[in-house]
Amino acid sequence: MAKLNENFSRLEKNYLFIDIAKKIKAYTAAHPDAKLIRMGIGDVTRPLAPVVVEAMEKACREMGVMETFRGYEDSGAGYEFLREAVSGYYKSFGADVSPDEIRISDGAKSDCGNIIDIFGAGNTVLVTDPAYPVYVDSNIMSGNTVIYADSNEENGFAAMPNPSVKADLIYLCSPNNPTGSVYTAAQLKEWVDYALSNNAVIIYDSAYEAFITEKDIPRSIFCIEGAKRCAIEICSLSKTAGFTGTRCGYTVVPNELVQKDSAGNDVKLADLWNRREGSKFNGVSYPVQRGAEAVFTPEGQKQTHEAIDYYRENAHMIAAACDELGIKYTGGVNSPYIWLKCPNGMGSWGFFDYLLNEIQVVGTPGAGFGKNGNGWFRLTAFGTHEATAEAMERLKKLLK
Amino acid sequence: MAKLNENFSRLEKNYLFIDIAKKIKAYTAAHPDAKLIRMGIGDVTRPLAPVVVEAMEKACREMGVMETFRGYEDSGAGYEFLREAVSGYYKSFGADVSPDEIRISDGAKSDCGNIIDIFGAGNTVLVTDPAYPVYVDSNIMSGNTVIYADSNEENGFAAMPNPSVKADLIYLCSPNNPTGSVYTAAQLKEWVDYALSNNAVIIYDSAYEAFITEKDIPRSIFCIEGAKRCAIEICSLSKTAGFTGTRCGYTVVPNELVQKDSAGNDVKLADLWNRREGSKFNGVSYPVQRGAEAVFTPEGQKQTHEAIDYYRENAHMIAAACDELGIKYTGGVNSPYIWLKCPNGMGSWGFFDYLLNEIQVVGTPGAGFGKNGNGWFRLTAFGTHEATAEAMERLKKLLK
């Protein structure tokens, strides 16, 4: 008789965005003429950059000609051309990552979930709360024990290590989803020192690094001394270049990242990750890899930054409306997210319903990201200028 | 201190194809002018069909225009248009699979490895030997116990169930990789009955179904009565339509597939799989899904079958050479693989070296697929006519 993975029954019954989708569906069924403005799910809306489209089209045509057709990649780790490009990108903001430390994947969500496979049972996993639900869910599925570090109003939603707490794996995300908060270099150094002193491994989600504008905020944990001995970094082109539907990301497992096994032998974590991916993954679509390569060309950087600048203007608009209304928030700078305190002591699902029913604006209830999200709410800057402006007008009219 | 997954140390040190690549590298370094003919790794060589390239190019252009841009898929299970197309494809060979039982993925290897996540610890996993190494490796990584059913010369490399052996998960592959053997409907019915009587789950790899020519050989396990209550099927467009570098596959978890958890409650396996994928996967690239959709159009079927027919001619050439030389083999019909008995009692790595050194033909040693592969050897029909004919001339000259 097949035994099932009963850890699945410990998961929260429904995924946050599924609940939201259901509420929206019910509302629009009852109000078919309502003009909803969606500022909930963190999906982009600007199209792919022209250089990316051109590169992908060209690669598709190559696949149709015998001489230029590409089958399996030798290693499945990503073509050299793309790993070189990512390595050069890291260099551009001061992080030294060599191409052989990079594996290309179909996205940060896959790597974030699958990286758990290289770790054994019995790890204590520290997650900052609130957090992207995948960190918790993938660890619960694996039967790991999850503990939390509080990100809250007092610490600007940037939890710091507590030396008396012993963790084996640590998830950090900066710029943060959902709070938009960022770690300074000094703060990250504290986390790196904490990890090194505990022989812990940091899993660092840098999916939003392209939104960083402030010069002293690190774009990668590998800008921090010592990080290559304790951290894995996962990034994606979803937010960098609008690849949410194109699917491409990358994970860096540094060659210096070594841990002891139970017999006291040194094990390179990159070897485990390469073996995991070598057995359960077969590489990313060739045309997608060519599109990703184009992102890192000078023209690609120029074009993709136009979209990021566009979203930044939206973020400023949302932040300005909050300022005007006296609403507290984090994010909006270095981030496409504004994380705001629900007015009048409202709970975050209550505020969700209030905005949906009263002004047909859809956001994301902070409670969906952890207990410290109660009473907080996430708005995203990924819409159009017009829709964002309209939503802020409705908000101001409602709350003034 | 981070604990590592020490099951990884139980894996065979090197992956079969890495060993082969090393031997080829050493040989070509020593003999830079040698004209190698590669009939080893199961990669295709014919380009993508024109309708597929056109569909992908069009989708890339859509991604460059705001009005037609696509971001995250709602469910990540695959667009309705593609799941409908796959469902229609199943119908064309007599299997009733509804779109909501299908999840689109980046390939069979990923699904084959990741499906393990929904099963708990302590399962006894039955693998026919020889087999595709991923079945064994992914289970060893998860700490499962693997037992084997012998596929050998006596049973035509088509292992059948032994009622005295109790298995919880069963891997079957037909047409088989590496042996090219196929199960008849009657044989598959025996496996289904065995699984049902043991409350076991069959993981059925149908990656080579498009090569089936004989009318009475099932193209899917779901052509068999009762299979929807005990089987999961994993398939891919890699061999069907040359998608080895384009990356698209699909997995069917039937709605009727229900197992008891330890408390005796019914659990739909599709719910577990959807939750696993919903948390650790974010869907397949939109242009790739449009390319896959084109495969299942009448024109797409016509064009992709031209490539399959091309490979079939190669298979016939290889089979004819074996016949002429009096070499025993399975496959070559319903399969792009010829699985042959090494002549003169040679071991399979010995025969590999012999062919590489004497006639510069590269095949795959059967020993790499399990103990019953010792003394056997896999040749693939994925080359050009010219190279295949040349290799067979060299082989005949060598062995006559």
Side-chain angles (χ1 to χ4, degrees), chain A residues 340-355 373-377 398-399:
Chain A
L340 59 89
K341 192 171 186 173
C342 302
N344 309 320
M346 245 182 270
S348 53
W349 279 106
F351 192 58
F352 174 91
D353 291 332
Y354 183 60
L355 291 195
N374 280 325
W376 291 74
F377 199 75
L398 179 71
L399 295 177

PDB file of all heavy atoms in Angstrom, chain A residues 340-355 373-377 398-399:
ATOM      1  N   LEU A 340       1.495  48.501   3.913  1.00  0.00           N
ATOM      2  CA  LEU A 340       0.903  49.578   4.708  1.00  0.00           C
ATOM      3  C   LEU A 340       0.096  49.061   5.885  1.00  0.00           C
ATOM      4  O   LEU A 340      -0.424  47.944   5.861  1.00  0.00           O
ATOM      5  CB  LEU A 340       0.051  50.480   3.802  1.00  0.00           C
ATOM      6  CG  LEU A 340      -1.111  49.863   3.034  1.00  0.00           C
ATOM      7  CD1 LEU A 340      -2.396  49.883   3.855  1.00  0.00           C
ATOM      8  CD2 LEU A 340      -1.332  50.648   1.734  1.00  0.00           C
ATOM      9  N   LYS A 341       0.011  49.895   6.894  1.00  0.00           N
ATOM     10  CA  LYS A 341      -0.754  49.554   8.094  1.00  0.00           C
ATOM     11  C   LYS A 341      -2.218  49.872   7.837  1.00  0.00           C
ATOM     12  O   LYS A 341      -2.553  51.004   7.462  1.00  0.00           O
ATOM     13  CB  LYS A 341      -0.226  50.377   9.271  1.00  0.00           C
ATOM     14  CG  LYS A 341      -0.739  49.906  10.611  1.00  0.00           C
ATOM     15  CD  LYS A 341      -0.020  50.618  11.751  1.00  0.00           C
ATOM     16  CE  LYS A 341      -0.455  50.021  13.088  1.00  0.00           C
ATOM     17  NZ  LYS A 341       0.346  50.580  14.195  1.00  0.00           N
ATOM     18  N   CYS A 342      -3.076  48.859   8.005  1.00  0.00           N
ATOM     19  CA  CYS A 342      -4.494  49.084   7.734  1.00  0.00           C
ATOM     20  C   CYS A 342      -5.013  50.184   8.651  1.00  0.00           C
ATOM     21  O   CYS A 342      -4.757  50.161   9.862  1.00  0.00           O
ATOM     22  CB  CYS A 342      -5.304  47.812   7.970  1.00  0.00           C
ATOM     23  SG  CYS A 342      -4.748  46.425   6.969  1.00  0.00           S
ATOM     24  N   PRO A 343      -5.732  51.154   8.091  1.00  0.00           N
ATOM     25  CA  PRO A 343      -6.198  52.286   8.916  1.00  0.00           C
ATOM     26  C   PRO A 343      -7.293  51.865   9.901  1.00  0.00           C
ATOM     27  O   PRO A 343      -7.941  50.831   9.703  1.00  0.00           O
ATOM     28  CB  PRO A 343      -6.737  53.280   7.881  1.00  0.00           C
ATOM     29  CG  PRO A 343      -6.977  52.492   6.647  1.00  0.00           C
ATOM     30  CD  PRO A 343      -6.093  51.285   6.682  1.00  0.00           C
ATOM     31  N   ASN A 344      -7.427  52.632  10.935  1.00  0.00           N
ATOM     32  CA  ASN A 344      -8.504  52.452  11.925  1.00  0.00           C
ATOM     33  C   ASN A 344      -8.478  51.075  12.589  1.00  0.00           C
ATOM     34  O   ASN A 344      -9.519  50.522  12.927  1.00  0.00           O
ATOM     35  CB  ASN A 344      -9.883  52.676  11.278  1.00  0.00           C
ATOM     36  CG  ASN A 344      -9.943  53.991  10.507  1.00  0.00           C
ATOM     37  OD1 ASN A 344      -9.401  54.999  10.982  1.00  0.00           O
ATOM     38  ND2 ASN A 344     -10.533  53.988   9.332  1.00  0.00           N
ATOM     39  N   GLY A 345      -7.257  50.504  12.710  1.00  0.00           N
ATOM     40  CA  GLY A 345      -7.128  49.218  13.411  1.00  0.00           C
ATOM     41  C   GLY A 345      -7.796  48.049  12.723  1.00  0.00           C
ATOM     42  O   GLY A 345      -8.089  47.027  13.352  1.00  0.00           O
ATOM     43  N   MET A 346      -8.079  48.199  11.453  1.00  0.00           N
ATOM     44  CA  MET A 346      -8.732  47.105  10.725  1.00  0.00           C
ATOM     45  C   MET A 346      -7.789  45.904  10.595  1.00  0.00           C
ATOM     46  O   MET A 346      -6.575  46.046  10.514  1.00  0.00           O
ATOM     47  CB  MET A 346      -9.090  47.601   9.317  1.00  0.00           C
ATOM     48  CG  MET A 346     -10.591  47.646   9.063  1.00  0.00           C
ATOM     49  SD  MET A 346     -10.951  48.184   7.363  1.00  0.00           S
ATOM     50  CE  MET A 346     -11.040  49.933   7.595  1.00  0.00           C
ATOM     51  N   GLY A 347      -8.356  44.699  10.571  1.00  0.00           N
ATOM     52  CA  GLY A 347      -7.585  43.502  10.265  1.00  0.00           C
ATOM     53  C   GLY A 347      -7.304  43.457   8.773  1.00  0.00           C
ATOM     54  O   GLY A 347      -7.975  44.135   7.979  1.00  0.00           O
ATOM     55  N   SER A 348      -6.327  42.655   8.338  1.00  0.00           N
ATOM     56  CA  SER A 348      -5.947  42.749   6.932  1.00  0.00           C
ATOM     57  C   SER A 348      -6.970  42.118   5.989  1.00  0.00           C
ATOM     58  O   SER A 348      -7.162  42.607   4.883  1.00  0.00           O
ATOM     59  CB  SER A 348      -4.532  42.230   6.697  1.00  0.00           C
ATOM     60  OG  SER A 348      -4.345  40.962   7.206  1.00  0.00           O
ATOM     61  N   TRP A 349      -7.668  41.056   6.416  1.00  0.00           N
ATOM     62  CA  TRP A 349      -8.737  40.537   5.552  1.00  0.00           C
ATOM     63  C   TRP A 349      -9.951  41.462   5.563  1.00  0.00           C
ATOM     64  O   TRP A 349     -10.637  41.607   4.545  1.00  0.00           O
ATOM     65  CB  TRP A 349      -9.149  39.107   5.953  1.00  0.00           C
ATOM     66  CG  TRP A 349      -8.219  38.045   5.405  1.00  0.00           C
ATOM     67  CD1 TRP A 349      -7.301  37.328   6.103  1.00  0.00           C
ATOM     68  CD2 TRP A 349      -8.123  37.596   4.032  1.00  0.00           C
ATOM     69  NE1 TRP A 349      -6.638  36.457   5.265  1.00  0.00           N
ATOM     70  CE2 TRP A 349      -7.117  36.593   3.985  1.00  0.00           C
ATOM     71  CE3 TRP A 349      -8.773  37.934   2.841  1.00  0.00           C
ATOM     72  CZ2 TRP A 349      -6.747  35.929   2.810  1.00  0.00           C
ATOM     73  CZ3 TRP A 349      -8.413  37.280   1.662  1.00  0.00           C
ATOM     74  CH2 TRP A 349      -7.410  36.297   1.660  1.00  0.00           C
ATOM     75  N   GLY A 350     -10.186  42.102   6.694  1.00  0.00           N
ATOM     76  CA  GLY A 350     -11.264  43.089   6.767  1.00  0.00           C
ATOM     77  C   GLY A 350     -11.000  44.254   5.821  1.00  0.00           C
ATOM     78  O   GLY A 350     -11.903  44.702   5.091  1.00  0.00           O
ATOM     79  N   PHE A 351      -9.746  44.705   5.804  1.00  0.00           N
ATOM     80  CA  PHE A 351      -9.382  45.813   4.908  1.00  0.00           C
ATOM     81  C   PHE A 351      -9.475  45.367   3.446  1.00  0.00           C
ATOM     82  O   PHE A 351      -9.910  46.135   2.573  1.00  0.00           O
ATOM     83  CB  PHE A 351      -7.969  46.297   5.249  1.00  0.00           C
ATOM     84  CG  PHE A 351      -7.586  47.596   4.594  1.00  0.00           C
ATOM     85  CD1 PHE A 351      -8.331  48.755   4.794  1.00  0.00           C
ATOM     86  CD2 PHE A 351      -6.456  47.674   3.778  1.00  0.00           C
ATOM     87  CE1 PHE A 351      -7.967  49.963   4.184  1.00  0.00           C
ATOM     88  CE2 PHE A 351      -6.089  48.871   3.171  1.00  0.00           C
ATOM     89  CZ  PHE A 351      -6.852  50.013   3.373  1.00  0.00           C
ATOM     90  N   PHE A 352      -9.097  44.107   3.200  1.00  0.00           N
ATOM     91  CA  PHE A 352      -9.219  43.563   1.844  1.00  0.00           C
ATOM     92  C   PHE A 352     -10.673  43.658   1.378  1.00  0.00           C
ATOM     93  O   PHE A 352     -10.961  44.174   0.289  1.00  0.00           O
ATOM     94  CB  PHE A 352      -8.750  42.101   1.814  1.00  0.00           C
ATOM     95  CG  PHE A 352      -8.975  41.412   0.494  1.00  0.00           C
ATOM     96  CD1 PHE A 352      -7.984  41.433  -0.487  1.00  0.00           C
ATOM     97  CD2 PHE A 352     -10.180  40.768   0.200  1.00  0.00           C
ATOM     98  CE1 PHE A 352      -8.189  40.818  -1.724  1.00  0.00           C
ATOM     99  CE2 PHE A 352     -10.391  40.166  -1.035  1.00  0.00           C
ATOM    100  CZ  PHE A 352      -9.394  40.190  -1.991  1.00  0.00           C
ATOM    101  N   ASP A 353     -11.590  43.166   2.213  1.00  0.00           N
ATOM    102  CA  ASP A 353     -13.013  43.187   1.844  1.00  0.00           C
ATOM    103  C   ASP A 353     -13.522  44.622   1.685  1.00  0.00           C
ATOM    104  O   ASP A 353     -14.296  44.919   0.769  1.00  0.00           O
ATOM    105  CB  ASP A 353     -13.851  42.467   2.914  1.00  0.00           C
ATOM    106  CG  ASP A 353     -13.589  40.960   2.925  1.00  0.00           C
ATOM    107  OD1 ASP A 353     -13.228  40.405   1.867  1.00  0.00           O
ATOM    108  OD2 ASP A 353     -13.745  40.349   3.995  1.00  0.00           O
ATOM    109  N   TYR A 354     -13.063  45.484   2.578  1.00  0.00           N
ATOM    110  CA  TYR A 354     -13.480  46.891   2.558  1.00  0.00           C
ATOM    111  C   TYR A 354     -13.078  47.544   1.232  1.00  0.00           C
ATOM    112  O   TYR A 354     -13.910  48.171   0.556  1.00  0.00           O
ATOM    113  CB  TYR A 354     -12.817  47.590   3.751  1.00  0.00           C
ATOM    114  CG  TYR A 354     -13.165  49.047   3.951  1.00  0.00           C
ATOM    115  CD1 TYR A 354     -14.491  49.459   4.174  1.00  0.00           C
ATOM    116  CD2 TYR A 354     -12.163  50.022   3.968  1.00  0.00           C
ATOM    117  CE1 TYR A 354     -14.786  50.802   4.380  1.00  0.00           C
ATOM    118  CE2 TYR A 354     -12.458  51.360   4.186  1.00  0.00           C
ATOM    119  CZ  TYR A 354     -13.776  51.751   4.381  1.00  0.00           C
ATOM    120  OH  TYR A 354     -14.073  53.080   4.591  1.00  0.00           O
ATOM    121  N   LEU A 355     -11.819  47.368   0.830  1.00  0.00           N
ATOM    122  CA  LEU A 355     -11.357  47.976  -0.432  1.00  0.00           C
ATOM    123  C   LEU A 355     -12.055  47.343  -1.635  1.00  0.00           C
ATOM    124  O   LEU A 355     -12.431  48.029  -2.584  1.00  0.00           O
ATOM    125  CB  LEU A 355      -9.843  47.827  -0.590  1.00  0.00           C
ATOM    126  CG  LEU A 355      -8.947  48.620   0.357  1.00  0.00           C
ATOM    127  CD1 LEU A 355      -7.514  48.644  -0.166  1.00  0.00           C
ATOM    128  CD2 LEU A 355      -9.441  50.062   0.526  1.00  0.00           C
ATOM    129  N   GLY A 373       1.870  39.872   9.750  1.00  0.00           N
ATOM    130  CA  GLY A 373       1.172  40.570   8.677  1.00  0.00           C
ATOM    131  C   GLY A 373      -0.232  40.995   9.069  1.00  0.00           C
ATOM    132  O   GLY A 373      -0.868  41.786   8.360  1.00  0.00           O
ATOM    133  N   ASN A 374      -0.720  40.497  10.209  1.00  0.00           N
ATOM    134  CA  ASN A 374      -2.051  40.898  10.688  1.00  0.00           C
ATOM    135  C   ASN A 374      -2.111  42.412  10.834  1.00  0.00           C
ATOM    136  O   ASN A 374      -1.235  43.018  11.444  1.00  0.00           O
ATOM    137  CB  ASN A 374      -2.350  40.266  12.055  1.00  0.00           C
ATOM    138  CG  ASN A 374      -2.805  38.834  11.920  1.00  0.00           C
ATOM    139  OD1 ASN A 374      -3.500  38.481  10.963  1.00  0.00           O
ATOM    140  ND2 ASN A 374      -2.395  37.997  12.857  1.00  0.00           N
ATOM    141  N   GLY A 375      -3.138  42.997  10.240  1.00  0.00           N
ATOM    142  CA  GLY A 375      -3.278  44.450  10.346  1.00  0.00           C
ATOM    143  C   GLY A 375      -2.464  45.207   9.308  1.00  0.00           C
ATOM    144  O   GLY A 375      -2.445  46.429   9.311  1.00  0.00           O
ATOM    145  N   TRP A 376      -1.794  44.462   8.410  1.00  0.00           N
ATOM    146  CA  TRP A 376      -1.018  45.097   7.344  1.00  0.00           C
ATOM    147  C   TRP A 376      -1.503  44.609   5.984  1.00  0.00           C
ATOM    148  O   TRP A 376      -2.248  43.641   5.882  1.00  0.00           O
ATOM    149  CB  TRP A 376       0.484  44.831   7.525  1.00  0.00           C
ATOM    150  CG  TRP A 376       1.025  45.547   8.736  1.00  0.00           C
ATOM    151  CD1 TRP A 376       0.815  45.197  10.040  1.00  0.00           C
ATOM    152  CD2 TRP A 376       1.796  46.746   8.745  1.00  0.00           C
ATOM    153  NE1 TRP A 376       1.424  46.098  10.877  1.00  0.00           N
ATOM    154  CE2 TRP A 376       2.040  47.059  10.107  1.00  0.00           C
ATOM    155  CE3 TRP A 376       2.317  47.591   7.758  1.00  0.00           C
ATOM    156  CZ2 TRP A 376       2.774  48.178  10.487  1.00  0.00           C
ATOM    157  CZ3 TRP A 376       3.060  48.692   8.145  1.00  0.00           C
ATOM    158  CH2 TRP A 376       3.279  48.987   9.496  1.00  0.00           C
ATOM    159  N   PHE A 377      -1.074  45.303   4.949  1.00  0.00           N
ATOM    160  CA  PHE A 377      -1.677  45.088   3.633  1.00  0.00           C
ATOM    161  C   PHE A 377      -0.642  45.416   2.560  1.00  0.00           C
ATOM    162  O   PHE A 377       0.109  46.386   2.684  1.00  0.00           O
ATOM    163  CB  PHE A 377      -2.876  46.046   3.501  1.00  0.00           C
ATOM    164  CG  PHE A 377      -3.872  45.677   2.450  1.00  0.00           C
ATOM    165  CD1 PHE A 377      -4.759  44.628   2.657  1.00  0.00           C
ATOM    166  CD2 PHE A 377      -3.939  46.384   1.248  1.00  0.00           C
ATOM    167  CE1 PHE A 377      -5.694  44.286   1.684  1.00  0.00           C
ATOM    168  CE2 PHE A 377      -4.869  46.051   0.278  1.00  0.00           C
ATOM    169  CZ  PHE A 377      -5.757  45.002   0.492  1.00  0.00           C
ATOM    170  N   LEU A 398     -12.032  57.590  -0.259  1.00  0.00           N
ATOM    171  CA  LEU A 398     -12.622  56.683   0.732  1.00  0.00           C
ATOM    172  C   LEU A 398     -12.167  56.993   2.155  1.00  0.00           C
ATOM    173  O   LEU A 398     -12.964  56.963   3.095  1.00  0.00           O
ATOM    174  CB  LEU A 398     -12.242  55.230   0.385  1.00  0.00           C
ATOM    175  CG  LEU A 398     -12.754  54.130   1.329  1.00  0.00           C
ATOM    176  CD1 LEU A 398     -14.271  53.954   1.166  1.00  0.00           C
ATOM    177  CD2 LEU A 398     -12.047  52.809   1.082  1.00  0.00           C
ATOM    178  N   LEU A 399     -10.867  57.280   2.293  1.00  0.00           N
ATOM    179  CA  LEU A 399     -10.296  57.326   3.643  1.00  0.00           C
ATOM    180  C   LEU A 399     -10.147  58.732   4.213  1.00  0.00           C
ATOM    181  O   LEU A 399      -9.871  58.893   5.395  1.00  0.00           O
ATOM    182  CB  LEU A 399      -8.939  56.621   3.674  1.00  0.00           C
ATOM    183  CG  LEU A 399      -8.964  55.108   3.390  1.00  0.00           C
ATOM    184  CD1 LEU A 399      -7.556  54.555   3.381  1.00  0.00           C
ATOM    185  CD2 LEU A 399      -9.823  54.368   4.419  1.00  0.00           C
TER     186      LEU A 399
END
